[in-house]
Amino acid sequence: MSIRLEVASRTDAGLVRKVNEDAIGIDAGAGVMVIADGMAKLQGAEVASRVAARTILQKLSHAAGARPLDELRAAFDAASEAIGERVAREPTYEGMGATAVAAWFSGPKLAVGHVGDARLYRLRKGELKRMTVDHSFVQTQLAQGRVTEEETRQSRSRHLVTRALGASGRTTPDVAEHPVEPGDLYLLCTDGLHELVEEADLAGALAALDPNLELAAETLVTMANDRGGADNVSVILVKIGEPEAEVPVSVEKGLLARLRAFFGGGSH
Amino acid sequence: MAKLVMSRDGHLVESRFIGEARIIIGRAESADLRLDDATVSKQHAAVEVVGNDHILRDLGSANGTLVNGKRVERHLLQHGDVVAIRDYEIRYVDHKSVAPGAGDRTTVFQTTEAIPEAVARAALDMPGPAPATVARAANVSLQAGSLRIAFGPREGKKTSLDHAVTGMGTAGRGRAAVLRRPSGIFVARVDGPSPKVNEKPIAEGWQPLAEGDIVEIAGERYLLRLG
């Protein structure tokens, strides 16, 4: 079975920061999308996010797809190692790391992995669902009932993540598989979006702009910047098209793919 | 370090730093912040420490606790908040949050469970460039407005723009959306034939609208009212 994917993405430094420390990786032909948000003690945040996004993208693009969850874990591990190697060569990068979310669309299924507070959302039949649980201090507090959802948005601890790629602590991703349906709209984003734009507004914007993904991606960045643009903001939107009987084979390399086909079952 | 500065009738009564332990505010002798007023409950309110945050809780007091003039049961304290209990005013001062910066950047913990609060604080003290201003979703105000259908079968129907983005039109006949921004209301073509504003087709992307503009899409005309 082949399923059409439509993809649009944007990454923006925001209004406050000079450097964009987010990185995006897309291989629409392989159905792989990655977003990473870099962090650093001294310097290297933008290096960490690029190394993370590139490594995960490369690993998954060339993976067989037979055991997607294991392959996802391996790709995240490789990203941590790659960051570690850069730190070993360049001591001022000591302490750099990245949060990341990767979505791997393969036929009727989606495999997702994440570390930190980069998120995956799904809009299905007008309803927005958060598909990832942040690895963050406030998420832990929320789970324990010590703070409310609203308070996590205002919390001074909201930027403390409990896992990150390349960090000396936990780097293990959470991985999961979900069935996809035609018409589903997926959003990968960094905290620069979800921290500033409330989920009700995200849901409304995605539902209204769903027929025009480029406009939708542009608008999400605008909405974050309208709310202060305090952080870098990155989004990838993936729309699941209707399944097709015929398998279209033309894949134009290099273009950001719109309406490109890919194959399920690892035959790509 | 955050502190509570208590005054009564404009006179300073007591000032107290918030440490690791929760602070009880009330009339009881044992209260950490003692309010000498018979209408204040013995255990009136408390300030709880959660990570780097301080949460004010009313402990079921008889006469209530106000923050910035509003009665609260529970409130995440922000620098400059004024807590009022009867004649007493307690100001929450947190100089660290006045100069945002380190705390505004993503930082990673080395541990995952039962993160020691001291670690959380240390992490926040990491150096980092400080952004000049940090706006939060909460203190941004988007232009309000409504759309009234001025022509067509649903004439007279009014939609107030409650969400940031509102869709209009129908698949096949043209779809558009309006976007609320701090600077005003904008309209864009989503798909199909372009909407018209005051009878003229619009350019691609978000275009500003003005009070009284007529947006035409999918055979319906909408009149924009701001405010």
Side-chain angles (χ1 to χ4, degrees):
Chain A
M1 178 170 103
S2 89
I3 288 180
R4 282 181 176 281
L5 291 187
E6 189 186 345
V7 183
S9 67
R10 290 289 186 285
T11 181
D12 189 90
L15 301 180
V16 175
R17 299 200 183 165
K18 292 196 183 82
V19 178
N20 191 347
E21 296 168 352
D22 287 357
I24 276 185
I26 297 173
D27 183 338
V32 180
M33 324 285 155
V34 188
I35 281 188
D37 179 355
M39 64 186 81
K41 276 206 179 96
L42 299 167
Q43 50 179 275
E46 72 287 355
V47 176
S49 63
R50 269 180 223 139
V51 169
R54 196 174 54 223
T55 307
I56 294 170
L57 188 69
Q58 278 173 356
K59 291 284 171 193
L60 294 181
S61 295
H62 296 105
R67 300 166 61 95
L69 297 186
D70 290 342
E71 287 162 318
L72 261 175
R73 281 190 203 98
F76 275 71
D77 286 349
S80 274
E81 273 170 37
I83 291 171
E85 282 163 19
R86 288 300 293 270
V87 172
R89 294 208 305 266
E90 180 53 74
T92 58
Y93 290 164
E94 178 63 42
M96 76 176 181
T99 70
V101 58
W104 186 10
F105 296 87
S106 181
K109 275 193 290 194
L110 148 73
V112 57
H114 83 289
V115 159
D117 60 0
R119 289 184 185 171
L120 176 73
Y121 285 97
R122 180 189 72 199
L123 185 79
R124 176 178 285 175
K125 296 180 174 72
E127 227 171 274
L128 188 72
K129 188 176 177 199
R130 206 189 295 174
M131 308 295 280
T132 49
V133 177
D134 294 347
H135 303 132
S136 68
F137 179 76
V138 289
Q139 182 65 45
T140 312
Q141 299 290 326
L142 184 67
Q144 292 169 358
R146 297 185 70 188
V147 297
T148 64
E149 183 80 40
E150 179 57 31
E151 284 164 358
T152 63
R153 298 169 57 79
Q154 298 284 317
S155 170
R156 254 166 252 138
S157 306
R158 68 192 181 283
H159 295 282
L160 299 176
V161 295
T162 50
R163 297 188 207 176
L165 297 174
S168 49
R170 271 188 93 178
T171 60
T172 334
D174 279 350
V175 295
E177 267 189 306
H178 303 281
V180 302
E181 289 180 11
D184 281 356
L185 178 59
Y186 292 89
L187 163 66
L188 291 80
C189 63
T190 53
D191 62 341
L193 181 74
H194 63 70
E195 185 182 303
L196 291 174
V197 183
E198 289 185 29
E199 288 184 351
D201 280 342
L202 282 182
L206 291 175
L209 305 176
D210 164 281
N212 186 338
L213 282 204
E214 290 293 332
L215 180 67
E218 185 73 44
T219 304
L220 294 177
V221 171
T222 300
M223 289 167 76
N225 286 338
D226 278 352
R227 287 154 181 76
D231 195 356
N232 308 146
V233 54
S234 301
V235 301
I236 300 178
L237 289 169
V238 184
K239 176 94 167 277
I240 310 296
E242 295 297 328
E244 296 183 335
E246 299 269 320
V247 175
V249 286
S250 74
V251 174
E252 308 133 79
K253 293 242 164 174
L255 289 175
L256 265 198
R258 287 171 57 82
L259 291 169
R260 268 198 206 159
F262 73 98
F263 311 108
S267 55
H268 58 279
Chain B
M1 203 175 201
K3 62 179 177 179
L4 299 171
V5 181
M6 183 163 81
S7 59
R8 188 181 198 180
D9 304 325
H11 299 286
L12 181 72
V13 178
E14 193 181 342
S15 167
R16 175 181 189 105
F17 284 103
I18 307 173
E20 302 284 317
R22 98 178 190 152
I23 291 177
I24 301 285
I25 303 167
R27 179 163 50 85
E29 288 287 345
S30 61
D32 300 301
L33 265 186
R34 241 198 116 233
L35 279 59
D36 186 17
D37 180 333
T39 62
V40 170
S41 299
K42 282 184 181 161
Q43 301 218 329
H44 196 103
V47 173
E48 289 168 4
V49 183
V50 180
N52 298 292
D53 297 314
H54 300 122
I55 294 173
L56 175 78
R57 235 183 232 285
D58 184 275
L59 299 174
S61 70
N63 291 309
T65 302
L66 306 181
V67 176
N68 306 327
K70 265 198 216 153
R71 188 160 179 167
V72 299
E73 296 298 320
R74 178 187 165 96
H75 174 82
L76 181 77
L77 289 165
Q78 304 280 342
H79 173 71
D81 278 348
V82 177
V83 180
I85 297 175
R86 308 301 292 169
D87 302 343
Y88 287 87
E89 257 191 23
I90 304 166
R91 189 171 290 271
Y92 176 73
V93 180
D94 183 13
H95 290 293
K96 192 185 286 174
S97 74
V98 181
D104 225 60
R105 301 185 77 85
T106 305
T107 310
V108 68
F109 275 124
Q110 306 303 320
T111 54
T112 54
E113 282 154 58
I115 296 146
E117 271 144 26
V119 174
R121 292 219 171 76
L124 281 178
D125 287 333
M126 280 182 28
T133 55
V134 177
R136 299 263 166 268
N139 48 31
V140 166
S141 108
L142 302 176
Q143 173 68 51
S146 65
L147 290 170
R148 192 164 60 80
I149 299 182
F151 174 80
R154 299 190 297 153
E155 185 171 334
K157 185 181 183 308
K158 192 174 147 187
T159 310
S160 86
L161 303 174
D162 297 327
H163 299 293
V165 179
T166 305
M168 312 150 78
T170 48
R173 299 189 64 196
R175 282 183 283 199
V178 290
L179 171 67
R180 295 174 57 202
R181 304 187 61 184
S183 55
I185 308 261
F186 291 68
V187 66
R189 184 186 81 93
V190 174
D191 71 346
S194 171
K196 288 180 182 166
V197 173
N198 303 332
E199 306 193 339
K200 284 188 198 129
I202 61 164
E204 285 290 297
W206 294 107
Q207 305 299 328
L209 288 173
E211 164 74 18
D213 276 354
I214 306 266
V215 179
E216 190 176 340
I217 182 84
E220 287 188 316
R221 278 186 206 154
Y222 297 79
L223 172 72
L224 177 72
R225 290 277 180 231
L226 299 181

